[in-house]
Amino acid sequence: MVRPKKHLGQHFLKDQQTARKITEALTAGPGESVLEIGPGTGVLTQFLVQRPDISLRVIEIDRESVAFLQRTYPALAIVEGDFLEIPWEAMATGPVHIIGNFPYNISSQIFFRVLAHRQEVRSVVCMLQKEVADRIAEKEGSKTYGILSVLLQAYYTVDYLFKVPPGVFHPPPKVMSAVIRLVRNEREHLGCDEALFQKVVKQGFNNRRKTLRNALKVLAFPADVYSLPVMDKRAEQLSVDDFINLTRHIQDRERAARI
Ligand code: SAH
């Protein structure tokens, strides 16, 4: 028996139907690689191992869960370690689909690592706290639209699948949960300086009540950048495409300022 450890965000799913539904949302096709983050006691894993057509690997930080999984699924490829720290190559080579009932305390960080590997991560199916799921799926104009919404939606199509109440977990988390799916879009490249894009999005939302003119002041772009009409708006009013266009404008002005 593996006892849940709170500091590892362990809330084990008890409901088999919910577990099945999550694994059925996986878009991986025959021959493709799948990485499960935080299998714990294997409630999702038990369904995933029933698919011999996929190549499954799991990454789990908890020694006791790892030992349990080794005993229960001797043929399973288990990587023991921290998803946020371990070299990517230890978990995946080439295109990969990610699935998991995420440790909620690090779900945003998991997505930042996914973003860093956006050319390899084809899709993500995950359960996380509803509030974060909402933020990721939200469109511009909403109070919860933020950094992760813009950065993830730039590269992924986000589907909000279903909500999950606390009672189906042991122990029950304090918050509602939700399952979402992200599928990599066709956009190989944004057509702008992607590092600058991320910087503008992050800085814009760090001061989300301010106009972009004020929020982006610290980035000290050439003066005429700040006279663009879009600078009157707040970050939450800009779509992904608006942010891409803004980044292109900034690049143009920076180039012009250097000449
Ligand atoms: N999938 C299981 C467990 C979900 S709880 C279920 O649905 O029941 C989250 C799991 O993530 C736990 O097993 C926890 O040990 C693991 N975990 C927590 N932090 C982790 C990290 N940084 N890297 C990998 N696994 C982690």
Side-chain angles (χ1 to χ4, degrees), residues 8-13 38-40 43 60-62 82-83 101 103 106:
L8 294 179
Q10 288 183 342
H11 295 280
F12 297 129
L13 188 57
V43 68
E60 172 58 63
I61 200 170
D62 176 33
D82 183 341
F83 172 80
N101 171 10
I106 59 162

Side-chain angles (χ1 to χ4, degrees), residues 40-235:
T41 54
V43 68
L44 301 180
T45 324
Q46 65 180 330
F47 295 108
L48 296 172
V49 295
Q50 287 173 23
R51 284 197 53 185
D53 63 316
I54 58 171
S55 154
L56 176 67
R57 223 182 264 194
V58 305
I59 166 85
E60 172 58 63
I61 200 170
D62 176 33
R63 181 87 272 274
E64 206 186 339
S65 294
V66 168
F68 172 83
L69 291 164
Q70 277 166 342
R71 280 199 306 276
T72 317
Y73 306 102
L76 181 64
I78 306 173
V79 182
E80 183 176 347
D82 183 341
F83 172 80
L84 300 177
E85 300 286 336
I86 206 156
W88 189 261
E89 310 73 58
M91 301 186 288
T93 40
V96 65
H97 297 263
I98 289 180
I99 189 165
N101 171 10
F102 286 176
Y104 293 0
N105 49 335
I106 59 162
S107 50
S108 297
Q109 287 152 279
I110 291 176
F111 278 111
F112 280 109
R113 191 148 200 217
V114 164
L115 275 169
H117 291 273
R118 57 185 177 268
Q119 304 305 23
E120 295 114 277
V121 179
R122 306 313 305 165
S123 75
V124 181
V125 173
C126 64
M127 176 137 61
L128 66 179
Q129 63 271 49
K130 183 181 168 294
E131 187 217 319
V132 178
D134 287 344
R135 260 198 275 145
I136 290 172
E138 209 52 86
K139 294 286 179 199
E140 68 272 16
S142 146
K143 289 242 170 317
T144 45
Y145 178 70
I147 296 171
L148 271 183
S149 344
V150 179
L151 299 185
L152 286 169
Q153 288 172 31
Y155 301 101
Y156 293 88
T157 304
V158 181
D159 268 332
Y160 199 101
L161 300 183
F162 52 92
K163 286 180 226 158
V164 183
V168 300
F169 297 90
H170 173 71
K174 289 206 178 68
V175 293
M176 274 296 282
S177 302
V179 177
I180 56 171
R181 178 169 58 203
L182 290 79
V183 176
R184 186 72 169 87
N185 63 23
E186 305 285 293
R187 209 149 32 191
E188 270 288 304
H189 194 274
L190 299 185
C192 65
D193 177 338
E194 297 190 325
L196 180 62
F197 171 78
Q198 296 205 6
K199 206 157 111 179
V200 169
V201 172
K202 284 180 184 165
Q203 195 57 45
F205 281 104
N206 276 344
N207 298 285
R208 61 184 302 143
R209 296 220 186 110
K210 295 187 182 172
T211 62
L212 286 170
R213 183 170 296 113
N214 287 325
L216 301 181
K217 202 171 267 168
V218 290
L219 295 179
F221 293 130
D224 51 356
V225 164
Y226 297 97
S227 54
L228 290 167
V230 69
M231 289 291 169
D232 291 329
K233 297 193 177 182
R234 282 173 287 123

